[in-house]
Amino acid sequence: MKISTTLMGLFVISAGLPALLHAQPNPLIQQFGQTQRELQFQKPRLLNLSTNMEAPELYPGENADVGPQRILRLKPRKTYFEVIADSQCMYSDNVYLSEDKKVGGALFINTIQAALAPEAYAWGPGQFAPMLGFRSQWFNYAENVNLSSLDFNAQTAFINGRYQAGNWQFYAACDLTRLLDQPGYNEIYRECMPTLGFQRFFPVNDKLMFIVSPQVDYHFTDSQTNNTAGSAVNNRFDASLNLSLSYLITPKLIAQPFYRFQYSRYPDFSDGALPANSRDDLVNTFGGSLAYFFNKYLAVRVFTVYEINHSSYASAFSYHKFDAGGGLSLDLRF
């Protein structure tokens, strides 16, 4: 199997804080959203999309004489379930996501995910892969009296489907998420997010690939603790464009620089202090990751991300943010 096929497989996946002033954005919701945006770039995955491998020529011109020869391989047992465990530690220089109150801190994110994920099956000229599952994430900041009230848990039920034909992949998804405070686990926010998008792969050679991925989604939200501004204050539409390069340094080491642009519109946003008005955010994200795969199950990574957000609503909602960290992932299929 050519390395470019392996590279393409990398991307087949791929509320309230009372202590803050009214003019500050909600860091729990924004931190959760930022983490989900970056997830596909921080954790590339190696998938074997083909069992059809050409044997090398025994002598120059053999294929011209007898045609390409195939290696006979036993058909592997199909898998239907996937379990992922991931642990990540990162430092952020702007935990509150605000230019006026810039505080640094370390954040630990631990994730457990279980899903019904049967292997892709042939459908027309391509392959279709459905997935249905549940994911739980714990966001915990390092011991700091200023950050102790920021710890929260995110629980997400999700369903998605991906269709790939050649260098094109199309996908649709729907996530149902709720955020809960810690340690009481009281619900403070919930959202339903349908998503549509596609990816276009541009192989440069056996080690380098360029990927373009536009996406649109809508967040139907309910903020339980924001009674002044209204429960649906965080409803928003997102349109984004992801650009990334994937370079296979060695068969187990992959580097991936990326850029993401996102436009977000909040149709009836209010922070409780200023009157309700449409809010438009422009988010530019620059980053890169380096991942090493010990085997097809276990991988370690390091990453850096720099994000700039400009908001039309109020200066308090604009920010610059730099993150850096690492993580360890275990991915099991059976």
Side-chain angles (χ1 to χ4, degrees), residues 10-329:
L10 293 173
F11 303 95
V12 177
I13 326 292
S14 238
L17 181 64
L20 295 179
L21 299 175
H22 284 299
Q24 294 289 347
N26 191 312
L28 279 68
I29 299 173
Q30 291 191 246
Q31 178 62 69
F32 175 75
Q34 181 195 18
T35 301
Q36 306 313 302
R37 289 196 298 270
E38 299 167 7
L39 194 61
Q40 59 183 303
F41 299 112
Q42 293 178 7
K43 297 195 303 178
R45 300 177 59 193
L46 288 169
L47 297 180
N48 182 4
L49 299 183
S50 174
T51 58
N52 189 21
M53 183 171 61
E54 288 190 3
E57 293 186 17
L58 298 178
Y59 58 88
E62 178 194 15
N63 287 346
D65 293 341
V66 298
Q69 303 301 296
R70 305 289 182 182
I71 295 177
L72 181 61
R73 300 178 61 183
L74 293 177
K75 187 175 182 180
R77 182 176 63 88
K78 288 187 176 182
T79 61
Y80 297 92
F81 300 95
E82 180 180 62
V83 175
I84 295 175
D86 182 83
S87 185
Q88 174 177 298
C89 178
M90 57 181 272
Y91 175 82
S92 174
D93 70 349
N94 192 356
V95 172
Y96 290 126
L97 303 179
S98 170
E99 293 298 276
D100 299 328
K101 193 175 183 180
K102 209 166 183 179
V103 176
L107 173 63
F108 299 90
I109 305 174
N110 293 293
T111 303
I112 295 292
Q113 174 177 305
L116 173 63
E119 292 183 357
Y121 58 89
W123 186 11
Q127 291 184 316
F128 177 71
M131 180 180 287
L132 173 67
F134 182 81
R135 175 172 58 248
S136 187
Q137 296 173 287
W138 291 265
F139 294 72
N140 297 96
Y141 290 84
E143 291 299 327
N144 185 321
V145 66
N146 296 320
L147 304 178
S148 59
S149 58
L150 287 176
D151 294 348
F152 68 98
N153 169 245
Q155 299 176 351
T156 303
F158 59 88
I159 182 171
N160 62 62
R162 294 175 180 268
Y163 182 77
Q164 182 157 338
N167 290 330
W168 292 86
Q169 182 189 114
F170 303 88
Y171 59 90
C174 186
D175 290 4
L176 299 174
T177 300
R178 63 176 191 154
L179 305 185
L180 306 98
D181 62 12
Q182 292 188 36
Y185 285 87
N186 300 303
E187 184 178 290
I188 53 179
Y189 172 82
R190 70 166 69 105
E191 73 171 25
C192 172
M193 185 184 73
T195 301
L196 289 173
F198 70 87
Q199 292 182 317
R200 177 67 166 92
F201 307 99
F202 297 91
V204 178
N205 53 45
D206 284 351
K207 292 187 177 182
L208 183 64
M209 180 175 287
F210 177 59
I211 304 95
V212 178
S213 179
Q215 176 179 298
V216 294
D217 57 61
Y218 195 88
H219 300 249
F220 299 92
T221 69
D222 184 4
S223 302
Q224 302 296 310
T225 62
N226 200 336
N227 296 323
T228 303
S231 62
V233 63
N234 289 292
N235 284 2
R236 76 178 190 269
F237 166 79
D238 294 333
S240 63
L241 175 65
N242 303 319
L243 305 175
S244 64
L245 283 172
S246 183
Y247 179 65
L248 197 65
I249 302 173
T250 72
K252 292 186 177 183
L253 184 64
I254 297 170
Q256 183 183 6
F258 69 88
Y259 167 73
R260 176 187 175 95
F261 172 78
Q262 178 173 300
Y263 166 74
S264 297
R265 182 171 181 82
Y266 299 74
D268 297 299
F269 185 81
S270 174
D271 61 358
L274 298 176
N277 192 16
S278 295
R279 168 185 165 188
D280 297 304
D281 283 13
L282 300 178
V283 186
N284 289 276
T285 306
F286 307 83
S289 67
L290 187 66
Y292 181 81
F293 294 83
F294 297 99
N295 50 48
K296 64 180 180 179
Y297 307 111
L298 188 64
V300 64
R301 69 189 182 277
V302 293
F303 60 88
T304 59
V305 179
Y306 182 66
E307 185 167 280
I308 306 169
N309 183 74
H310 176 74
S311 179
S312 65
Y313 185 78
S315 60
F317 290 82
S318 299
Y319 64 84
H320 294 69
K321 186 175 190 277
F322 174 78
D323 297 339
L328 180 68
S329 295

